[in-house]
Amino acid sequence: MTTLEIRGLRAGVYNREILTGIDIIVKSGEVHAVMGPNGAGKSTLSGVIMGKPGYDVLGGTITLDGTDVLAMSTPERALAGLHLVMQYPTEVPGVRVLDALAEAFAARGRSAEGLDVLLREEAASIGLEERFLERALNVDFSGGEKKRNETLQLAVLRPRMAILDELDSGLDIDALRDCSRRVEALTEPHEDLDGNLVDGVGVLAITHYSRLLKELRPDVVHVLVGGRIVAEGGPELADTVESDGYAAFAPEVVEREDAPSTLDDLFAPPG
Ligand code: ADP
Ligand code: MG
């Protein structure tokens, strides 16, 4: 059993605090949804968990089975079993999908033998055409292809904890169903790459729509508005968000979502 524990997390960029105290505990096999409007701090949360450069941690802790995640580099976090499915997957010209995964295997001390077969099986189950395995990572992939490819990496690497940053954005209905079903299956106990039975992957599914959560059923829903968790509950909370909107939870903070960010300010016309 693996536990990802986020306690009192405060983080920001430059002098601006974005997350003002987040507490979430995810265990193996659990699906936790973090729902919030644009600008709530969802990508900041995923970036801070994975150690994306550019964020300052201002307080609180993140641990994986008691080990201090914040003290680790991003590659160390990946080797410890954390995996981020990015909202906007990076294009990497010159590096094929299968090369990237062979490197990921090597970093884990595994030979790439059998990887080819595994990749083809997983690609088929996720509905990604095999020719994408030979193409440069994410270069000229459509939105749906990028997310299928992200899901492929998750399925092949089988981390202990997966953070999905808007897996549903840019996905059509079919791709959404294929990707979320594959993730759902990974949350059940399954064989690891050595054929040993292991606990299901713990999932932190970040989204602003409830449609993802129709396929990937959450055990717990956390509503994130203005950098803090304003409501928590079971799957039914996603339906409440759908019908009432985020403003119903924290009217005074939701307004802030339209406020110009620090970066926008730089380009704002004078006056
Ligand atoms: P979400 O993913 O929920 O839409 P983000 O975490 O991307 O929200 O952003 C939260 C807030 O922090 C937004 O107001 C955004 O403009 C701001 N922000 C995020 N990253 C940066 C950055 N690098 N520089 C300045 N502002 C940022
Ligand atoms: Mg985001």
Side-chain angles (χ1 to χ4, degrees):
M1 170 71 71
T2 298
T3 307
L4 175 68
E5 201 165 320
I6 303 167
R7 290 232 181 249
L9 182 70
R10 293 170 45 236
V13 287
Y14 310 118
N15 292 322
R16 176 164 168 215
E17 185 165 337
I18 297 170
L19 301 176
T20 60
I22 305 289
D23 296 276
I24 297 174
I25 297 174
V26 186
K27 294 187 156 73
S28 295
E30 293 179 351
V31 176
H32 287 242
V34 173
M35 299 185 73
N38 282 321
K42 303 185 300 298
S43 292
T44 301
L45 177 62
S46 69
V48 170
I49 296 172
M50 209 61 211
K52 187 175 172 203
Y55 297 108
D56 300 319
V57 175
L58 306 168
T61 56
I62 303 179
T63 58
L64 188 66
D65 289 337
T67 307
D68 183 6
V69 168
L70 294 173
M72 298 181 197
S73 68
T74 298
E76 286 168 348
R77 294 179 203 205
L79 294 182
L82 294 174
H83 185 98
L84 172 62
V85 165
M86 288 184 281
Q87 181 173 6
Y88 303 109
T90 312
E91 300 191 357
V92 190
V95 177
R96 297 178 305 167
V97 172
L98 51 89
D99 297 327
L101 283 159
E103 278 303 316
F105 264 40
R108 288 160 176 76
R110 306 194 132 270
S111 92
E113 201 185 323
L115 173 61
D116 209 54
V117 175
L118 180 62
L119 274 171
R120 281 167 216 287
E121 281 171 11
E122 288 292 355
S125 86
I126 294 160
L128 185 71
E129 289 175 47
E130 277 191 17
R131 63 193 168 86
F132 286 97
L133 302 174
E134 307 277 353
R135 281 180 43 181
L137 194 59
N138 291 319
V139 176
D140 296 326
F141 284 28
S142 72
E145 288 154 2
K146 281 184 179 163
K147 296 302 173 88
R148 287 187 202 261
N149 180 43
E150 287 285 299
T151 307
L152 173 83
Q153 294 169 44
L154 176 69
V156 169
L157 295 175
R158 297 188 198 167
R160 293 198 283 160
M161 285 286 155
I163 300 112
L164 317 176
D165 192 1
E166 300 207 20
L167 177 65
D168 45 348
S169 74
L171 279 192
D172 57 39
I173 301 287
D174 298 319
L176 178 65
R177 191 195 47 233
D178 293 344
C179 291
S180 43
R181 282 191 185 159
R182 187 66 191 97
V183 176
E184 179 82 54
L186 285 169
T187 65
E188 298 296 329
H190 55 269
E191 284 187 2
D192 68 9
L193 297 168
D194 298 312
N196 304 313
L197 192 66
V198 293
D199 291 329
V201 176
V203 174
L204 193 62
I206 296 174
T207 179
H208 60 252
Y209 293 117
S210 61
R211 59 172 204 165
L212 169 72
L213 309 177
K214 300 260 185 283
E215 297 283 350
L216 182 64
R217 296 303 292 168
D219 300 293
V220 184
V221 175
H222 312 261
V223 180
L224 175 71
V225 179
R228 63 189 177 91
I229 306 289
V230 295
E232 275 170 330
E236 69 288 346
L237 184 55
D239 303 325
T240 311
V241 169
E242 180 80 35
S243 58
D244 299 357
Y246 291 109
F249 291 91
E252 73 295 347
V253 227
V254 172
E255 303 262 313
R256 244 188 54 183
E257 92 178 78
D258 297 325
S261 73
T262 327
L263 274 184
D264 295 336
D265 280 345
L266 292 175
F267 302 102

